[in-house]
Amino acid sequence: MCGITGLKPTYGRVSRYGMIAFASSLDQAGVLTAGAADAALMLREMAGFDANDSTSVDTPVPDYVATLEQPLAGLKIGLLQEFFDKGLDPENERRVREALQVYEQLGAKLTVVSLPNLPLSVPVYYVVAPAECSSNLARFDGVRFGHRCENPRDLTDLYRRSRGEGFGAEVKRRIMTGTYVLSAGYYDAYYLKAQRVRQLISADFGRAFKDVDVLMGPTTPTPAFAIGAKTADPITMYLNDIYTIGANLAGLPAVSIPCGFVQDLPVGLQIVGPHFSEARILAVAHALQRATDWHTRLPPGYA
Amino acid sequence: MSAWETVIGLEIHAQLATRSKIFSGSATTYGAPPNAQANLVDLGYPGVLPVLNAEAVRMAVKLGLAISARIAPRSVFARKNYFYPDLPKGYQISQYELPIVAGGVLDIQLEDGSSKRVGITRAHLEEDAGKSLHEGLPGVTGIDLNRAGTPLVEIVSEPDMRSAKEAVAYMKKVHTLVRYLEICDGNMQEGSFRCDANVSVRKSGADKFGTRAEIKNLNSFRYIERAINYEVQRQIELIESGGKVVQETRLYDPDKGETRSMRSKEEANDYRYFPDPDLLPVVLEEKFIESVRASLPELPDQKAARFVSQYALSAYDAGVLTASRELADYYENVVREVPQEPKLAANWVMGEFAAALNKDGLDVTSARGKVPPQNLGGLLLRISDQTVSGNVAKVVFATMWSSGALADTVIAEQGLKQITDAAAIERVIDEVMAKSPGQLADYRAGKDKLFGFFVGQVMKATGGKANPAQVNELLLRKLRG
Amino acid sequence: MSLTREQIASIAALARLELTPAEIPVYQQTLSRIVDFIGALERAPTADVAPMAHPLPGLSQRLRPDVVTEVDRHEAYQSNAPQVAASLYLVPKVIE
């Protein structure tokens, strides 16, 4: 949506120690760069085991830069059927399919794969992430650091006003949602249920990767909306994440690269790989960026 | 038979004696200046993450094996979410649905000598909170987070106890056990070992439990007994006057000797437990569990049973001597010197030795420095071979305690050797009899009680050194005439 | 399904968030929307499916050796604290 390359590594590839925790089972530091080559360079420096993070995985970090130019011939690309649905803007779809044609010319084979539980990604995410966030943000209480309200009457007042004043509206909304889905009587129906559906989604990805090397699809259903245009209805805003959230839930590495413009707004193509396949997906992204120049173009007015 | 039955369950929190905290590398030593041992992880700063202390896990497994419980091959940490200033993250990392230890038992000895088996529902690992200080700070409370993150094992008993005395016996047994296992120093004044008591009453013979009240943070055996007894009375009186027991948390006030309801903690605590995503499941292999099992010391019950069979001691004596590993080891080292007199050794360790260390406020380890077990053994040898009498030995011991000298040295220097020469004793008896013709006549006329008078006189004349058995025997013969 | 004012107030209390009277209906509306939206999960076939706590399966918790690695840095840590005295973090008096 912003005309840049964005990479989210496999969960556990990059240490979370030092990052303000939002949703612990999803958080993963990534990079936003001008292209896959830069992303490979950055990731090579960022990735690695950290003893301070219990969820950090101890596997060697490959030289992502050295493998960027691996040939694509025979690459099996799975097109996520659930993403090419009526929610996808037809112009966005056209740009994405143009990019896919380039991959075919480079020797890749396209197949359609179905991940039937994938459409539930957004509701799953909007239970799990707020729940974990509501707990992670409890430490912001005005006691040891951060904003403290003026003249607290008592402890409860200290907590309520410091936190009420210190957090922005969307954060408070997520804390409220998260507190609700974890609360007594709702935990089973929401949090536990969402984590079970998450298992289903992850299993869908696992099954797909038996037949294909990478999965591809549009990054967003529509071009970018204007700032402030959709904040009234949270759900409409959340639904923009519909294509990318699945990879987060399954902890999979994914990269989004520009593949053209719709009404001067950039369109993104996402590439998702199995766990720890960053070298592969970066090379695949890089291949498109060698064969085309969408990632270097700026819309008129921004040059 | 009382109309009412008391039902008690205890939740014991024991601080594990690790060097560092459960989730951070901060020190756990007691008494450091405020917040000197609270690092960023303990303070719950943004961006910090927990990493689990291997020794805490090992200690929990030791405990589980010692109470014949099941060690969970896979256990999970969960977040218990609530707001309190001594809880920096706004949640406590604990274990909820999958604790590391499940289902154990502990046998306790009751006052009448009988044994009772108390069930233990579970034991789990969790982190301790910090401390709130209210004294000397007008209008504010000061928070010290040194204790935040110290590893705890929470031991939850079944509601199997039926009296305050049983509850105390159980708590003492757990206290002994954790010290035997060297997983907790059991220092209740420092807060290393605390307990909450869940107390309810029901009509005798009823099968449903009554509503229970929880008495929190009891940190002395005496307080527990008093608090429970007060609470039981309170509940009975409440029900008998038509009231209902409310499920609530109460505190014991030792000065007033009563329990009172805590200022209500809001929302009746919806802790919103969920598995902590920052920690992975703890997976323990059979090999590891077996290696911990192999490292277990002889447990209190095993040691007591061995003392009964090996040293022919009563169950009571064995129980007293094995109350701590240090005392039991001391005793066995004494017996090594005088193997023919295990009962004598038991009497002296439980008697003179225990009295001396209590008087000076010492623990066994410090007391060893005063009178090493070999030295006490040496003294007992001299009783056994009749060099000194039991009473004289007590005098010798007192000197040994204060000077650290050996028994033989003290006996020689103070000339305390027992007089066992029958002729010498007879001469003394003759003198005493000659000096007390009145008492002699009375005794021979039938006043048997005067025998003690003569014994006393003989002892006085010999400076207490005459062998008592010989004195008795010879006096009896001579007094009869 | 609509959340009541009382429910919103109760959640805000649990989360220690002060809400103005004007905010309550806003939260009622948005939270109700979100709750309806996540209701879609109900239909998913999750009988016999384990909840996924960690995205990478088969990993277990690493154990750290029991060594003290930290030193006293409380002065640095307390340098940005809202209120400190005698090295203690201060809050309004709490009565137990």
Side-chain angles (χ1 to χ4, degrees), chain A residues 16 18 54 135-136 139 144 184, chain B residues 43 45 47 50 79 81 88 270 278:
Chain A
R16 289 187 298 118
S54 293
S135 178
N136 284 328
R139 66 192 64 196
R144 300 166 310 293
Chain B
L43 293 169
Y45 260 68
R79 294 188 184 180
N81 298 280
D270 181 358
D278 290 332

Side-chain angles (χ1 to χ4, degrees), chain A residues 14-15 41 86 88 102 107 112 141 144 146 149 155 163 169 213 215 227 251 254 257 273 287 295:
Chain A
V14 176
S15 171
L41 192 60
K86 55 186 183 337
L88 179 59
V102 175
V112 174
D141 56 11
R144 300 166 310 293
C149 62
L155 185 65
R163 291 165 58 77
D213 301 316
L215 295 167
I227 293 174
I257 49 179
H295 64 295

